[in-house]
């Protein structure tokens, strides 16, 4: 049985950066100081748990929080949040990924120029919620600008663009805001699928880019499993399989992929 790992596995740039920002802030923590992350700083529960042990508490709202430092996660936060943090006199650290910021800036510019804004993505995801807060209510339904969540699959985005172009808009501006890491990871996963009879996708069950990778794997027809840790790997999956592929989301540490390989080898 051969095991191959997709090229581009390991943390992406934005995730590495957010973890570094959090770790540096934790190092500077003095006794009695509190530091909070607004939602998980990245979508990987095991990494978030490690940071929690170092002192980073995840909160979903600022309501009951008094003082301390608040970190905006790699996905960004709705406009109002930064204002609320400052109003409470808290220190603000912004770990929004620069690629997410780039999409946010496009939305700001489109709004200024009077375009209605269409965001292709998961409306419940924090990145999209933040983009929607910047876009506000769409007033112009003739002239629109289209962007995608940074972790969309190219195919989904292209399909949505086709639908939009078949509508009666007088002007449509389209931006490719899918981040490079996402595109490369999806491509590497597709390449690996051509040479596998079983694929394991590693990453947070709450991670949008990992879910996209899993969707790609399922659509390919290759038997695929989405797991977060090595403890979920089952011996039964490998009966009759010869070529195992492993791909991982942007917030999955290399160490987790190694643990999974070790466990498969023990079988
Ligand atoms: S997947 Fe892309 S947009 Fe998301 S954090 Fe990583 S580099 Fe940034």
């Amino acid at each position: 049985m051969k095991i191959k790992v997709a090229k581009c596995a390991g943390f992406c740039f934005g995730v590495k950066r957010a973890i570094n920002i959090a770790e540096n802030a934790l190092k500077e923590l003095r006794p009695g100081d509190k530091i909070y992350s607004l939602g998980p700083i990245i979508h990987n529960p095991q990494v978030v748990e490690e940071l929690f042990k170092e002192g980073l508490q995840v909160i979903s709202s600022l309501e009951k929080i008094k003082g301390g430092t608040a970190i905006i996660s790699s996905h960004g936060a709705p406009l109002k949040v930064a204002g609320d943090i400052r109003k409470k006199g808290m220190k603000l650290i912004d770990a929004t990924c620069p690629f997410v910021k780039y999409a946010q800036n496009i939305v700001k510019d489109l709004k200024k120029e009077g375009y209605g804004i269409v965001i292709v993505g998961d409306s419940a995801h924090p990145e999209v919620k933040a983009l929607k807060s910047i876009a506000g209510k769409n007033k112009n339904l003739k002239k629109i600008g289209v962007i995608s969540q940074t972790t969309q699959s190219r195919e989904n985005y292209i399909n949505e663009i086709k639908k939009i172009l078949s509508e009666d808009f007088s002007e449509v501006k389209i931006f490719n805001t899918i981040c490079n890491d996402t595109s490369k990871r999806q491509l590497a996963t597709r390449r690996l699928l051509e040479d596998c009879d079983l694929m394991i996708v590693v990453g947070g069950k709450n991670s949008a880019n990992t879910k996209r990778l899993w969707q790609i794997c399922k659509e390919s027809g290759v038997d695929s499993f989405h797991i977060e840790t090595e403890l979920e790997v089952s011996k039964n999956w490998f009966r009759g399989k010869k070529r195992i592929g492993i791909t991982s989301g942007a917030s999955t540490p290399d160490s987790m992929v190694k643990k999974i390989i070790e466990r498969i080898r023990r079988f």
Side-chain angles (χ1 to χ4, degrees):
M1 192 168 76
K2 271 191 187 164
I3 303 173
K4 269 193 183 176
V5 178
K7 285 182 183 158
C8 300
F11 287 146
C12 67
F13 155 78
V15 164
K16 260 187 229 158
R17 182 177 172 275
I19 293 173
N20 281 342
I21 289 174
E23 284 179 339
N24 288 338
L26 284 164
K27 271 184 215 151
E28 284 171 19
L29 217 57
R30 282 171 302 190
D33 285 353
K34 297 264 188 213
I35 182 159
Y36 307 97
S37 153
L38 280 152
I41 188 150
I42 61 164
H43 279 163
N44 183 290
Q46 292 70 37
V47 175
V48 169
E49 178 65 25
E50 286 306 311
L51 289 168
F52 174 71
K53 286 180 196 155
E54 292 174 40
L56 182 64
Q57 298 180 44
V58 180
I59 51 169
S60 54
S61 133
L62 288 163
E63 213 178 311
K64 293 184 182 146
I65 307 296
K66 286 190 189 111
T69 299
I71 305 185
I72 290 180
S73 81
S74 53
H75 312 104
L79 273 184
K80 189 178 168 303
V81 170
D84 288 348
I85 294 171
R86 290 198 185 95
K87 260 189 238 157
K88 281 183 169 266
M90 297 174 74
K91 185 178 169 196
L92 166 66
I93 298 179
D94 190 355
T96 307
C97 172
F99 295 114
V100 175
K101 274 266 183 249
Y102 170 69
Q104 292 181 349
N105 288 335
I106 290 175
V107 172
K108 277 183 200 156
D109 290 345
L110 285 169
K111 197 180 170 188
K112 250 188 246 158
E113 292 164 24
Y115 285 82
I117 295 150
V118 176
I119 303 160
V120 177
D122 170 4
S123 61
H125 191 277
E127 179 188 328
V128 177
K129 283 186 181 170
L131 290 168
K132 277 177 10 189
S133 80
I134 299 167
K137 289 241 154 58
N138 275 353
K139 290 193 185 107
N140 194 336
L141 295 175
K142 280 283 153 204
K143 172 171 129 164
I144 60 162
V146 188
I147 65 155
S148 89
Q149 186 177 353
T150 52
T151 47
Q152 263 295 321
S153 81
R154 282 176 68 81
E155 286 65 27
N156 278 359
Y157 193 35
I158 290 167
N159 284 338
E160 292 305 319
I161 289 169
K162 282 183 190 162
K163 284 185 211 159
I164 289 166
L165 290 177
S166 68
E167 300 284 331
D168 183 27
F169 295 112
S170 60
E171 190 185 339
V172 180
K173 274 192 178 181
I174 296 164
F175 296 85
N176 182 4
T177 47
I178 298 175
C179 90
N180 254 348
D181 183 277
T182 299
S183 303
K184 282 188 193 159
R185 226 170 263 266
Q186 290 174 0
L187 185 65
T189 301
R190 285 183 202 284
R191 293 221 168 114
L192 192 52
L193 279 165
E194 287 166 14
D195 196 28
C196 287
D197 50 16
L198 177 78
M199 182 66 108
I200 297 176
V201 183
V202 191
K205 301 265 163 81
N206 56 347
S207 155
N209 76 83
T210 310
K211 284 194 273 184
R212 290 272 166 236
L213 294 178
W214 192 43
Q215 186 190 354
I216 289 169
C217 295
K218 281 192 298 184
E219 284 169 4
S220 75
V222 172
D223 283 349
S224 306
F225 297 92
H226 176 185
I227 58 173
E228 286 184 354
T229 76
E230 79 281 11
L231 302 176
E232 294 165 78
V233 178
S234 162
K235 200 173 178 177
N236 298 335
W237 299 349
F238 304 97
R239 286 208 184 100
K241 303 292 183 192
K242 293 201 167 63
R243 300 176 316 276
I244 315 303
I246 301 181
T247 188
S248 64
S251 45
T252 308
D254 280 333
S255 57
M256 182 51 72
V257 172
K258 280 188 195 135
K259 280 185 197 168
I260 287 164
I261 294 174
E262 276 164 26
R263 184 161 157 107
I264 298 171
R265 291 207 195 286
R266 279 205 298 276
F267 293 150

